[in-house]
Amino acid sequence: MLQSNRLTIYAIGKIKKLWIRDGISQYKKRMPELIITELKAFNFNNLRSNNNIIICLSEEGKQFNSVELCSLLLNFKNKKINFLIGDTDGISSDIKNNSDLILSLSPLTFPHELARLILIEQIYRAVSISNNSPYHRS
């Protein structure tokens, strides 16, 4: 079973759009143990450890459907999974090159604020899939 307390989202900047903040808030109510941290910059050295998985979001990353994403996250067993979302300039190549995975949410390009909401929804969907919840209808 995938537990959201093993998942953290690190994002550059604050959410300015109220409707996106409201959407994120709805999923946070369903997964209160999910940690979302807003930063001014990434400190990669603080994130890197033997028990941490680093997943960077970027349009050139690997794409998964929802079931595949759930399976991938479950395969990380008891490791802490950290998702990194950049700002409008994205994530530096140094950080991407040293991450465990570069993930693309879609072949489409999304504003970084919307990407955060989409990622949180997909995390909730993955947790639901792993719990056999009816939220995900395949």
Side-chain angles (χ1 to χ4, degrees), residues 77-125:
K77 305 279 184 226
N78 293 324
K79 294 191 176 208
K80 181 120 176 68
I81 303 167
N82 300 286
F83 294 93
L84 308 184
I85 301 177
D87 58 8
T88 54
D89 295 323
I91 298 174
S92 74
S93 57
D94 284 348
I95 292 176
K96 285 193 271 191
N97 291 338
N98 288 298
S99 67
D100 297 294
L101 175 70
I102 301 174
L103 173 67
S104 172
L105 296 173
S106 166
L108 302 172
T109 302
F110 299 116
H112 62 282
E113 290 182 344
L114 186 55
R116 201 178 313 182
L117 177 58
I118 293 169
L119 175 63
I120 291 168
E121 189 281 335
Q122 284 300 299
I123 288 172
Y124 180 73
R125 186 173 296 275

Coordinates of all heavy atoms in Angstrom, one line a residue, residues 77-125:
K77 N 9.5 0.9 -2.3 CA 9.3 0.3 -1.0 C 9.2 1.4 0.1 O 8.4 2.2 0.0 CB 10.5 -0.6 -0.7 CG 10.7 -1.7 -1.8 CD 9.8 -2.8 -1.6 CE 10.1 -3.9 -2.7 NZ 9.0 -4.4 -3.3
N78 N 10.1 1.3 1.1 CA 10.0 2.2 2.2 C 10.8 3.5 2.1 O 11.0 4.2 3.1 CB 10.4 1.5 3.5 CG 9.4 0.4 3.8 OD1 8.2 0.5 3.6 ND2 9.9 -0.7 4.3
K79 N 11.3 3.8 0.9 CA 12.1 5.0 0.7 C 11.2 6.2 0.7 O 10.0 6.2 0.4 CB 12.9 4.9 -0.6 CG 13.9 3.8 -0.5 CD 14.9 3.9 -1.7 CE 15.9 2.8 -1.5 NZ 17.2 3.1 -2.1
K80 N 11.8 7.3 1.1 CA 11.1 8.6 1.0 C 11.2 9.1 -0.4 O 12.3 9.2 -1.0 CB 11.8 9.6 2.0 CG 11.2 10.9 2.1 CD 10.7 11.2 3.5 CE 10.2 12.6 3.6 NZ 9.0 12.9 2.9
I81 N 10.1 9.5 -1.0 CA 10.0 10.0 -2.4 C 9.8 11.5 -2.4 O 8.9 12.0 -1.8 CB 8.9 9.2 -3.1 CG1 9.1 7.7 -3.0 CG2 8.9 9.7 -4.6 CD1 7.9 6.9 -3.5
N82 N 10.8 12.2 -3.0 CA 10.7 13.6 -3.1 C 10.5 14.1 -4.5 O 11.3 13.7 -5.4 CB 12.1 14.2 -2.6 CG 12.3 13.8 -1.2 OD1 11.7 14.3 -0.3 ND2 13.2 12.9 -1.0
F83 N 9.4 14.8 -4.8 CA 9.1 15.3 -6.1 C 9.6 16.8 -6.1 O 9.3 17.6 -5.2 CB 7.6 15.3 -6.4 CG 7.1 13.9 -6.5 CD1 6.5 13.3 -5.4 CD2 7.0 13.3 -7.7 CE1 6.0 12.1 -5.5 CE2 6.5 12.0 -7.8 CZ 5.9 11.4 -6.7
L84 N 10.3 17.2 -7.2 CA 10.8 18.5 -7.3 C 10.1 19.2 -8.5 O 10.1 18.7 -9.6 CB 12.3 18.6 -7.6 CG 13.2 17.8 -6.6 CD1 14.7 18.1 -7.0 CD2 13.0 18.2 -5.2
I85 N 9.5 20.4 -8.2 CA 8.8 21.1 -9.3 C 9.5 22.5 -9.3 O 9.5 23.2 -8.3 CB 7.3 21.3 -9.0 CG1 6.6 20.0 -8.9 CG2 6.7 22.2 -10.1 CD1 5.2 20.0 -8.6
G86 N 10.0 22.9 -10.5 CA 10.7 24.1 -10.6 C 9.7 25.3 -10.8 O 8.5 25.1 -10.7
D87 N 10.3 26.4 -11.1 CA 9.5 27.6 -11.4 C 9.3 27.7 -12.9 O 9.5 26.7 -13.6 CB 10.1 28.9 -10.8 CG 11.5 29.1 -11.2 OD1 12.0 28.4 -12.2 OD2 12.2 30.0 -10.7
T88 N 9.1 28.9 -13.4 CA 8.9 29.1 -14.9 C 10.2 28.7 -15.7 O 10.1 28.4 -16.8 CB 8.5 30.5 -15.2 OG1 9.5 31.4 -14.6 CG2 7.1 30.9 -14.7
D89 N 11.3 28.8 -15.0 CA 12.6 28.4 -15.7 C 12.9 26.9 -15.6 O 13.9 26.4 -16.1 CB 13.8 29.2 -15.1 CG 13.6 30.7 -15.4 OD1 13.1 31.0 -16.5 OD2 14.0 31.5 -14.5
G90 N 12.0 26.1 -14.9 CA 12.2 24.7 -14.7 C 13.3 24.4 -13.7 O 13.5 25.2 -12.7
I91 N 13.9 23.2 -13.8 CA 14.9 22.7 -12.9 C 16.2 22.7 -13.6 O 16.3 22.2 -14.7 CB 14.5 21.3 -12.3 CG1 13.2 21.4 -11.6 CG2 15.6 20.7 -11.4 CD1 12.6 20.1 -11.2
S92 N 17.3 23.0 -12.9 CA 18.6 23.1 -13.5 C 19.0 21.7 -14.0 O 18.6 20.7 -13.4 CB 19.7 23.6 -12.5 OG 20.0 22.7 -11.5
S93 N 19.8 21.6 -15.0 CA 20.3 20.4 -15.5 C 21.2 19.6 -14.5 O 21.1 18.4 -14.5 CB 21.1 20.5 -16.9 OG 22.1 21.4 -16.7
D94 N 21.9 20.3 -13.7 CA 22.7 19.6 -12.6 C 21.8 18.8 -11.7 O 22.1 17.7 -11.4 CB 23.4 20.7 -11.8 CG 24.6 21.3 -12.4 OD1 25.0 20.7 -13.5 OD2 25.2 22.3 -11.9
I95 N 20.7 19.4 -11.3 CA 19.8 18.7 -10.4 C 19.1 17.5 -11.2 O 19.0 16.4 -10.7 CB 18.7 19.6 -9.8 CG1 19.4 20.6 -8.8 CG2 17.6 18.8 -9.1 CD1 18.5 21.6 -8.2
K96 N 18.6 17.8 -12.4 CA 18.0 16.7 -13.1 C 19.0 15.6 -13.4 O 18.6 14.4 -13.3 CB 17.5 17.3 -14.5 CG 16.2 18.1 -14.3 CD 15.6 18.4 -15.6 CE 16.1 19.6 -16.3 NZ 15.3 20.1 -17.4
N97 N 20.2 15.9 -13.7 CA 21.2 14.8 -14.0 C 21.5 14.0 -12.8 O 21.9 12.8 -12.9 CB 22.5 15.4 -14.6 CG 22.3 16.0 -16.0 OD1 21.4 15.6 -16.7 ND2 23.1 16.9 -16.3
N98 N 21.3 14.5 -11.6 CA 21.6 13.8 -10.4 C 20.4 13.2 -9.7 O 20.5 12.7 -8.6 CB 22.4 14.7 -9.4 CG 23.8 14.9 -9.9 OD1 24.6 14.0 -10.0 ND2 24.1 16.1 -10.2
S99 N 19.2 13.3 -10.3 CA 18.0 12.8 -9.8 C 17.9 11.3 -10.1 O 18.6 10.8 -11.0 CB 16.8 13.6 -10.2 OG 16.6 13.4 -11.6
D100 N 16.9 10.6 -9.5 CA 16.7 9.2 -9.8 C 15.8 9.0 -11.0 O 15.8 8.0 -11.6 CB 16.1 8.5 -8.5 CG 17.0 8.6 -7.3 OD1 18.1 7.9 -7.4 OD2 16.7 9.3 -6.4
L101 N 14.9 10.0 -11.2 CA 14.0 9.9 -12.3 C 13.6 11.3 -12.7 O 13.4 12.2 -11.9 CB 12.7 9.1 -11.9 CG 11.6 9.1 -12.9 CD1 12.0 8.2 -14.1 CD2 10.3 8.5 -12.2
I102 N 13.4 11.5 -14.0 CA 12.8 12.8 -14.5 C 11.4 12.3 -15.1 O 11.3 11.5 -15.9 CB 13.6 13.4 -15.7 CG1 15.0 13.8 -15.1 CG2 12.9 14.7 -16.2 CD1 16.0 14.3 -16.2
L103 N 10.4 13.0 -14.5 CA 9.0 12.6 -14.8 C 8.3 13.7 -15.6 O 8.4 14.9 -15.2 CB 8.2 12.4 -13.4 CG 6.7 12.2 -13.5 CD1 6.4 10.8 -14.1 CD2 6.2 12.2 -12.1
S104 N 7.6 13.3 -16.6 CA 6.8 14.2 -17.4 C 5.3 13.9 -17.1 O 4.9 12.7 -17.1 CB 7.1 14.1 -18.9 OG 6.1 14.9 -19.6
L105 N 4.5 14.9 -16.8 CA 3.1 14.7 -16.5 C 2.3 14.5 -17.8 O 1.2 14.0 -17.8 CB 2.5 15.8 -15.7 CG 3.1 16.0 -14.3 CD1 2.6 17.3 -13.7 CD2 2.8 14.8 -13.4
S106 N 2.9 15.0 -18.9 CA 2.2 15.0 -20.2 C 3.1 15.5 -21.3 O 4.1 16.2 -21.0 CB 0.9 15.9 -20.1 OG 0.4 16.2 -21.3
P107 N 2.8 15.2 -22.5 CA 3.6 15.9 -23.6 C 3.2 17.3 -23.7 O 4.0 18.1 -24.3 CB 3.2 15.1 -24.9 CG 1.9 14.4 -24.6 CD 1.9 14.2 -23.1
L108 N 2.1 17.8 -23.1 CA 1.8 19.2 -23.1 C 2.6 19.9 -22.1 O 3.1 19.3 -21.1 CB 0.3 19.3 -22.7 CG -0.7 18.6 -23.6 CD1 -2.1 18.7 -23.0 CD2 -0.7 19.2 -25.0
T109 N 2.8 21.2 -22.2 CA 3.5 22.0 -21.3 C 2.4 22.7 -20.4 O 1.4 23.3 -20.8 CB 4.3 23.1 -22.0 OG1 5.2 22.5 -22.9 CG2 5.1 24.0 -21.0
F110 N 2.7 22.6 -19.0 CA 1.8 23.3 -18.1 C 2.5 24.4 -17.3 O 3.7 24.2 -17.0 CB 1.3 22.2 -17.0 CG 0.5 21.1 -17.6 CD1 1.0 19.8 -17.5 CD2 -0.7 21.3 -18.3 CE1 0.3 18.7 -18.1 CE2 -1.4 20.2 -18.8 CZ -1.0 19.0 -18.7
P111 N 1.8 25.4 -16.9 CA 2.4 26.3 -15.9 C 2.8 25.6 -14.7 O 2.1 24.6 -14.3 CB 1.3 27.3 -15.6 CG 0.2 27.1 -16.7 CD 0.4 25.7 -17.2
H112 N 3.9 26.0 -14.0 CA 4.3 25.3 -12.8 C 3.3 25.2 -11.7 O 3.3 24.2 -11.0 CB 5.7 25.9 -12.3 CG 5.6 27.3 -11.9 ND1 5.5 28.4 -12.7 CD2 5.5 27.8 -10.6 CE1 5.4 29.5 -12.0 NE2 5.4 29.2 -10.7
E113 N 2.5 26.2 -11.6 CA 1.4 26.1 -10.5 C 0.4 25.0 -10.9 O 0.0 24.3 -10.0 CB 0.7 27.5 -10.4 CG 1.5 28.6 -9.8 CD 0.7 29.9 -9.7 OE1 -0.4 30.0 -10.3 OE2 1.2 30.7 -8.9
L114 N 0.0 24.9 -12.1 CA -0.9 23.9 -12.5 C -0.3 22.5 -12.4 O -0.9 21.5 -12.1 CB -1.5 24.2 -13.9 CG -2.6 23.2 -14.4 CD1 -3.8 23.2 -13.5 CD2 -3.0 23.7 -15.8
A115 N 1.0 22.4 -12.8 CA 1.7 21.1 -12.7 C 1.7 20.6 -11.2 O 1.5 19.4 -11.0 CB 3.2 21.3 -13.1
R116 N 1.8 21.5 -10.3 CA 1.7 21.1 -8.9 C 0.3 20.5 -8.5 O 0.3 19.5 -7.9 CB 2.0 22.3 -8.0 CG 2.4 22.0 -6.6 CD 2.7 23.1 -5.7 NE 3.5 24.2 -6.3 CZ 3.9 25.2 -5.6 NH1 3.6 25.4 -4.4 NH2 4.7 26.1 -6.2
L117 N -0.7 21.1 -9.0 CA -2.1 20.6 -8.8 C -2.2 19.2 -9.5 O -2.8 18.3 -8.9 CB -3.1 21.6 -9.3 CG -4.6 21.1 -9.2 CD1 -5.0 20.7 -7.7 CD2 -5.5 22.2 -9.7
I118 N -1.8 19.1 -10.7 CA -1.9 17.8 -11.4 C -1.1 16.7 -10.7 O -1.6 15.6 -10.6 CB -1.4 18.0 -12.9 CG1 -2.4 18.9 -13.6 CG2 -1.3 16.6 -13.6 CD1 -1.9 19.4 -15.0
L119 N 0.1 17.1 -10.3 CA 0.9 16.1 -9.5 C 0.2 15.6 -8.3 O 0.2 14.4 -8.0 CB 2.3 16.6 -9.2 CG 3.2 15.7 -8.3 CD1 3.5 14.4 -9.1 CD2 4.5 16.4 -7.9
I120 N -0.3 16.5 -7.5 CA -1.0 16.2 -6.3 C -2.2 15.3 -6.6 O -2.5 14.3 -5.9 CB -1.4 17.4 -5.5 CG1 -0.2 18.1 -5.0 CG2 -2.4 17.1 -4.3 CD1 -0.4 19.5 -4.4
E121 N -3.0 15.6 -7.6 CA -4.1 14.7 -8.0 C -3.6 13.3 -8.4 O -4.2 12.3 -8.0 CB -4.9 15.3 -9.2 CG -6.2 14.6 -9.5 CD -6.1 13.3 -10.3 OE1 -5.1 13.2 -11.0 OE2 -7.0 12.5 -10.2
Q122 N -2.5 13.2 -9.1 CA -2.0 11.9 -9.5 C -1.4 11.2 -8.3 O -1.5 9.9 -8.3 CB -0.9 12.1 -10.6 CG -1.5 12.4 -12.0 CD -2.4 11.3 -12.4 OE1 -2.0 10.1 -12.6 NE2 -3.7 11.7 -12.7
I123 N -0.8 11.9 -7.4 CA -0.4 11.2 -6.1 C -1.6 10.6 -5.4 O -1.6 9.5 -5.0 CB 0.4 12.1 -5.2 CG1 1.8 12.4 -5.8 CG2 0.5 11.6 -3.8 CD1 2.6 13.5 -5.1
Y124 N -2.7 11.4 -5.3 CA -3.9 10.9 -4.7 C -4.5 9.7 -5.4 O -4.9 8.7 -4.8 CB -5.0 12.0 -4.6 CG -6.2 11.6 -3.9 CD1 -6.3 11.3 -2.5 CD2 -7.4 11.3 -4.7 CE1 -7.4 10.9 -1.9 CE2 -8.5 10.8 -4.1 CZ -8.5 10.6 -2.7 OH -9.7 10.1 -2.1
R125 N -4.4 9.8 -6.7 CA -4.9 8.7 -7.6 C -4.1 7.4 -7.3 O -4.6 6.3 -7.2 CB -4.9 9.1 -9.0 CG -5.5 8.0 -10.0 CD -5.6 8.6 -11.4 NE -6.5 9.7 -11.5 CZ -7.8 9.6 -11.6 NH1 -8.4 8.5 -11.7 NH2 -8.6 10.7 -11.7

